Amino acid sequence: MSYSTGALENSPEPLVFDVVVVGAGFAGLYMLHKLRELGFTVRVLEAASGVGGTWFHNRYPGARCDIESLDYSYSFSEELQQEWSWSERYASQPEILRYIDHVAERFDLLRDVQLNTVVANAEFEEHTARWSVTTEEGERYSARFCIMATGVLSAAQVPRLAGLEEYTGRWYHTGAWPHERPDFTGMRVGVIGTGSSGTQLIPLVAQQAKELVVFQRTANYCMPAQNRPLDANLEGEWKTHYPERRAFARASSFGHNQVSNDKKGTEVSPLERREELERRWDLGGLYMMRAFKDIMTNADVNREAIEFVHEKIDGIVNDPQTAEALKPKDLFIGTKRLCSGTDYYETFNRQNVRLVDVKSDPIKRVTPTGLQTEGETFALDAIIFATGFDAMTGSLLRINPTGRGGVKLSERWADGPRSYLGLSISGFPNMFVIAGAGSPSVFSNMVTSIEQHVEWIATCLLHLERNGAACIEATPEAEEGWVQHVNELADKTLYRHSKNTWFYGANTPGKPVVFMPYVGGVGRYSQNISSIAAKNYEGFSIQERVDSSL
Ligand code: FAD
Ligand code: NAP
């Protein structure tokens, strides 16, 4: 595989393209493919030394998808989906990365991807109606359109713990895992964080480490993934019916084919509810989210699922005190992103694993040889931060683009992210965000949502081109209406009771606490954005070209 490098093309003059795309994960790569097909010149700028985004960066032991691999894959090419074979029900990180590399090669994408290139600045120049994009190395690009495919879980976050600089052991963050896999054999290891990354990683590190201390601040619900090798008959059946399967996913609420129960919990007997919860536990992973139609809106139904999972924890974990500490308190199930793991609770029965509750005994500092809580000192040879991301907005705000009138995005978003459709931000003409805050994004199979956005943006750009338009921009009124709609939908759910989550930005110090994703579902969202496009991009203002050089 050959990659182009930034340094070779360093030039005092800006390089000129129709479109600059930032990020080469699932979103950036498909955006490139789609726009190139339509005849646009495109340059993708990617900070990492390889493509794949999430699946390039998150190489920690146990990293894997929790949407079935047959669903969590591109649908845009029938040949691709027929020729690729997944080995497991839920694909592991190495396999997803192999898949993305295969896609990049198969569609000859790499020649327009510039790796090792961090975008430092992006500015809309009003006099030319073009985006000026600058990299950390000082290279400049000029493009009519700037598409932010920077990811919503891509700004890894290490807590600012006193003493970390003096720590003499090794430390890691799950979202920036080294390529040479660390070996924890014989080591005393501490893991901070028990979200999706932590719960996947802990059982595997426990198998290697001499001692493992898990520092838990907030317990979350971890469903058994029930991962297994992919059944050849099932794969064959999917491949025969891929078009219908993909159409179903796109019209569904969550962008995949997982079975949802159409019945409300309140409509069925206690026995039927119990049986359904058991069935969901056996189906594994995120299936619990779809146990009943009202599980995310009715507190009593949700509480029954909570009690069910608490009983499961009691049944698995031998030490009653540890079992109690592992049970989430005051947290509706699913309102913090549900985790999907293998042998997570079982791992706490191992002699070499200890759970430390850092809510009651907070972490005070890192010492040169370990970690200190208010009440205890821990000697650790390695510390793993499974502490998550500045989610949804972090990577975009690290670039902090400048829109009309020299206004920075951080100023526009001082009270939290605002967008029209999660795609476009008023005051930032010709800039699009893929799967951003205000779209179904993290509440869906993200590959489905990414494809939906890429196709919408590509159609929009073609429309502008054909109509000789210079600029498209969300109107402030349309943006305000959409922000209200997103909040109104969220307010009908149980999410509003659990604000201590990254869905609200609460995991990032200083970030406004605002609910960010759209909960209305992929299918409904798709209808919205399609009808807006059909109504000549209702809610956007489109300006005609005044100068042929634009
Ligand atoms: P990313 O894959 O995040 O790619 C963004 C790219 O932009 C990165 O390569 C980054 O380096 C680059 N970038 C950012 N800023 C800059 C800059 N300033 N300059 C240059 N480049 C930049 N989703 C699901 O639907 N199902 C799952 O099971 C699932 N599992 C996940 C597991 C993990 C561990 C994580 C972290 C996320 C998971 N997600 C899952 C969400 C996942 O992020 C998306 O599914 C998807 O991979 C996002 O693709 P993307 O291209 O939008 O963003
Ligand atoms: P996360 O869900 O945000 O979890 C971070 C964990 O670190 C939380 O337990 C948090 O506790 C803890 N933490 C953060 N700062 C801390 C501190 N200073 N002291 C102590 N504890 C601290 O992050 P993640 O696990 O990386 O997952 C992020 C998202 O990525 C997921 O929600 C999911 O969408 C995606 N993902 C998916 C999968 C998958 O299975 N497919 C795997 C990994 C990630 P608090 O809760 O108290 O803040």
PDB file of all heavy atoms in Angstrom, residues 13-14 78 100 141 280 330 386 391 499:
ATOM      1  N   GLU A  13       2.343  28.547  -1.945  1.00  0.00           N
ATOM      2  CA  GLU A  13       1.035  28.825  -2.548  1.00  0.00           C
ATOM      3  C   GLU A  13       0.047  27.773  -2.046  1.00  0.00           C
ATOM      4  O   GLU A  13       0.413  26.610  -1.891  1.00  0.00           O
ATOM      5  CB  GLU A  13       1.130  28.692  -4.078  1.00  0.00           C
ATOM      6  CG  GLU A  13       1.866  29.830  -4.736  1.00  0.00           C
ATOM      7  CD  GLU A  13       1.231  31.171  -4.404  1.00  0.00           C
ATOM      8  OE1 GLU A  13      -0.016  31.282  -4.541  1.00  0.00           O
ATOM      9  OE2 GLU A  13       1.948  32.078  -3.976  1.00  0.00           O
ATOM     10  N   PRO A  14      -1.211  28.167  -1.829  1.00  0.00           N
ATOM     11  CA  PRO A  14      -2.149  27.127  -1.406  1.00  0.00           C
ATOM     12  C   PRO A  14      -2.399  26.131  -2.532  1.00  0.00           C
ATOM     13  O   PRO A  14      -2.390  26.494  -3.709  1.00  0.00           O
ATOM     14  CB  PRO A  14      -3.427  27.914  -1.076  1.00  0.00           C
ATOM     15  CG  PRO A  14      -3.288  29.231  -1.731  1.00  0.00           C
ATOM     16  CD  PRO A  14      -1.826  29.497  -1.922  1.00  0.00           C
ATOM     17  N   GLU A  78     -22.276  -3.149  -3.972  1.00  0.00           N
ATOM     18  CA  GLU A  78     -22.760  -4.531  -3.890  1.00  0.00           C
ATOM     19  C   GLU A  78     -21.580  -5.511  -4.026  1.00  0.00           C
ATOM     20  O   GLU A  78     -21.501  -6.507  -3.314  1.00  0.00           O
ATOM     21  CB  GLU A  78     -23.808  -4.773  -4.992  1.00  0.00           C
ATOM     22  CG  GLU A  78     -24.332  -6.191  -5.134  1.00  0.00           C
ATOM     23  CD  GLU A  78     -25.058  -6.738  -3.899  1.00  0.00           C
ATOM     24  OE1 GLU A  78     -25.299  -5.994  -2.933  1.00  0.00           O
ATOM     25  OE2 GLU A  78     -25.370  -7.945  -3.906  1.00  0.00           O
ATOM     26  N   ILE A 100     -11.139  -1.683   6.198  1.00  0.00           N
ATOM     27  CA  ILE A 100     -11.032  -0.295   5.716  1.00  0.00           C
ATOM     28  C   ILE A 100      -9.836  -0.159   4.772  1.00  0.00           C
ATOM     29  O   ILE A 100      -9.924   0.507   3.729  1.00  0.00           O
ATOM     30  CB  ILE A 100     -10.945   0.697   6.900  1.00  0.00           C
ATOM     31  CG1 ILE A 100     -12.212   0.612   7.743  1.00  0.00           C
ATOM     32  CG2 ILE A 100     -10.763   2.128   6.389  1.00  0.00           C
ATOM     33  CD1 ILE A 100     -12.238   1.491   8.988  1.00  0.00           C
ATOM     34  N   TYR A 141      -4.271  25.049   1.924  1.00  0.00           N
ATOM     35  CA  TYR A 141      -5.187  24.518   0.914  1.00  0.00           C
ATOM     36  C   TYR A 141      -6.308  25.512   0.730  1.00  0.00           C
ATOM     37  O   TYR A 141      -6.751  26.124   1.692  1.00  0.00           O
ATOM     38  CB  TYR A 141      -5.778  23.174   1.368  1.00  0.00           C
ATOM     39  CG  TYR A 141      -4.720  22.139   1.555  1.00  0.00           C
ATOM     40  CD1 TYR A 141      -3.990  22.094   2.736  1.00  0.00           C
ATOM     41  CD2 TYR A 141      -4.404  21.252   0.535  1.00  0.00           C
ATOM     42  CE1 TYR A 141      -2.970  21.186   2.902  1.00  0.00           C
ATOM     43  CE2 TYR A 141      -3.384  20.337   0.693  1.00  0.00           C
ATOM     44  CZ  TYR A 141      -2.675  20.309   1.881  1.00  0.00           C
ATOM     45  OH  TYR A 141      -1.659  19.420   2.022  1.00  0.00           O
ATOM     46  N   ARG A 280     -33.200 -10.981  25.602  1.00  0.00           N
ATOM     47  CA  ARG A 280     -32.296  -9.885  25.210  1.00  0.00           C
ATOM     48  C   ARG A 280     -30.883 -10.130  25.762  1.00  0.00           C
ATOM     49  O   ARG A 280     -29.898  -9.843  25.106  1.00  0.00           O
ATOM     50  CB  ARG A 280     -32.830  -8.545  25.728  1.00  0.00           C
ATOM     51  CG  ARG A 280     -34.160  -8.162  25.105  1.00  0.00           C
ATOM     52  CD  ARG A 280     -33.959  -7.551  23.748  1.00  0.00           C
ATOM     53  NE  ARG A 280     -35.123  -7.775  22.903  1.00  0.00           N
ATOM     54  CZ  ARG A 280     -35.231  -7.304  21.656  1.00  0.00           C
ATOM     55  NH1 ARG A 280     -34.271  -6.596  21.124  1.00  0.00           N
ATOM     56  NH2 ARG A 280     -36.288  -7.568  20.940  1.00  0.00           N
ATOM     57  N   ASP A 330     -28.672   4.931  40.515  1.00  0.00           N
ATOM     58  CA  ASP A 330     -29.305   6.157  40.008  1.00  0.00           C
ATOM     59  C   ASP A 330     -28.999   6.390  38.533  1.00  0.00           C
ATOM     60  O   ASP A 330     -28.688   7.512  38.127  1.00  0.00           O
ATOM     61  CB  ASP A 330     -28.833   7.390  40.811  1.00  0.00           C
ATOM     62  CG  ASP A 330     -29.130   7.230  42.281  1.00  0.00           C
ATOM     63  OD1 ASP A 330     -30.209   6.691  42.586  1.00  0.00           O
ATOM     64  OD2 ASP A 330     -28.274   7.610  43.109  1.00  0.00           O
ATOM     65  N   ALA A 386      -8.834   4.432  30.368  1.00  0.00           N
ATOM     66  CA  ALA A 386      -9.969   4.092  29.494  1.00  0.00           C
ATOM     67  C   ALA A 386     -11.009   5.179  29.764  1.00  0.00           C
ATOM     68  O   ALA A 386     -12.161   4.913  30.093  1.00  0.00           O
ATOM     69  CB  ALA A 386     -10.501   2.708  29.836  1.00  0.00           C
ATOM     70  N   ALA A 391     -16.332  14.104  23.489  1.00  0.00           N
ATOM     71  CA  ALA A 391     -17.168  13.485  22.449  1.00  0.00           C
ATOM     72  C   ALA A 391     -17.966  14.494  21.627  1.00  0.00           C
ATOM     73  O   ALA A 391     -18.302  15.577  22.111  1.00  0.00           O
ATOM     74  CB  ALA A 391     -18.137  12.504  23.109  1.00  0.00           C
ATOM     75  N   LYS A 499     -27.720  13.193  33.316  1.00  0.00           N
ATOM     76  CA  LYS A 499     -26.938  14.204  32.582  1.00  0.00           C
ATOM     77  C   LYS A 499     -25.433  14.008  32.745  1.00  0.00           C
ATOM     78  O   LYS A 499     -24.646  14.677  32.082  1.00  0.00           O
ATOM     79  CB  LYS A 499     -27.364  15.610  33.013  1.00  0.00           C
ATOM     80  CG  LYS A 499     -28.809  15.859  32.634  1.00  0.00           C
ATOM     81  CD  LYS A 499     -29.197  17.293  32.600  1.00  0.00           C
ATOM     82  CE  LYS A 499     -30.590  17.397  31.970  1.00  0.00           C
ATOM     83  NZ  LYS A 499     -31.330  18.542  32.333  1.00  0.00           N
TER      84      LYS A 499
END
